[in-house]
Amino acid sequence: MNRSADWFRRMWHALFPRGDVVVRPSDRFQAAVLAAFVVLAVVAVPFAGVLGSETAAQRGKQAAEEAASRHRVEATLLVDGPPQQAVGPDGLPSGPQPRDARWRLPGGGFRVAQVDADPLTKAGDPVVVWLDRAGDQVPPPLDPRTAPVEGVMTGFGVWAGFCALLSLLYGVLVLGLDRMRLRHWEREWTLELDGKTRS
């Protein structure tokens, strides 16, 4: 029998001792806490599922609102993009960098602002930008396909974090119980040695 199976068997016997099995009170307490923590972890699953569903619904709603209020246009670069061998502040090859570009506003006229230009792009190249109803540059709308993924990740992350907290608490408890049991064993061993010495 492997060690994990033997450990669970000992915890089971600590909770439900049979026959001549000797179980210390601390063993029963440890097993009871473990059982309670397992129940809490199982009970937390539907709560995490509800939280994940709410997150997915909120992100889906946000994606729909952003898609309705934002539109994409092609801006024209006014200067060349960064060179391919450009190095960023961290010493790594740089990616897109801000460059001046111009685009037409929905009501007419033009606006000039900086957009992220890829390396090796040239002045006059088109660059896609996203605008709100006022013509101001905004980030792209959320992809509605990511809403379920974010919901699952949120629910699982919350549940995993809760289980990690339970595991940490259980580990601290076991550490304290082991120290207490060791002190108790040392005290009994000392008394046994004293008794033998006196006799």
Side-chain angles (χ1 to χ4, degrees):
M1 183 178 294
N2 57 42
R3 297 179 63 182
S4 61
D6 182 63
W7 181 81
F8 278 107
R9 182 179 60 82
R10 287 190 292 107
M11 290 296 101
W12 179 263
H13 285 309
L15 276 177
F16 307 103
R18 292 183 178 180
D20 57 350
V21 176
V22 178
V23 179
R24 296 170 295 185
S26 62
D27 294 330
R28 287 191 178 183
F29 178 71
Q30 177 180 340
V33 171
L34 176 62
F37 281 4
V38 170
V39 171
L40 286 175
V42 173
V43 171
V45 171
F47 290 97
V50 170
L51 181 60
S53 298
E54 291 180 353
T55 300
Q58 291 176 356
R59 298 297 279 179
K61 180 180 178 181
Q62 181 181 353
E65 292 175 349
E66 291 183 355
S69 62
R70 302 179 184 186
H71 62 281
R72 54 181 290 171
V73 298
E74 282 192 350
T76 302
L77 282 178
L78 301 179
V79 295
D80 293 344
Q84 182 69 49
Q85 68 274 15
V87 178
D90 54 3
L92 299 175
S94 60
Q97 293 184 6
R99 291 291 189 269
D100 286 337
R102 183 180 69 171
W103 61 84
R104 184 180 295 276
L105 297 175
F110 292 90
R111 175 168 295 176
V112 176
Q114 289 195 328
V115 301
D116 288 335
D118 292 325
L120 301 181
T121 51
K122 300 295 182 182
D125 287 348
V127 178
V128 174
V129 296
W130 286 88
L131 309 176
D132 58 16
R133 292 189 176 96
D136 296 324
Q137 189 177 1
V138 292
L142 291 174
D143 188 344
R145 294 173 297 182
T146 64
V149 177
E150 291 188 24
V152 171
M153 292 180 64
T154 299
F156 178 77
V158 170
W159 181 78
F162 180 67
C163 290
L165 176 61
L166 293 179
S167 298
L168 177 62
L169 293 176
Y170 181 74
V172 172
L173 171 69
V174 171
L175 181 62
L177 290 176
D178 285 344
R179 289 182 176 180
M180 182 190 69
R181 287 187 282 243
L182 178 60
R183 288 194 301 266
H184 183 70
W185 180 84
E186 289 177 343
R187 185 167 56 251
E188 289 187 345
W189 181 250
T190 301
L191 293 175
E192 180 70 18
L193 289 179
D194 289 343
K196 289 182 178 180
T197 303
R198 292 172 184 174
S199 60

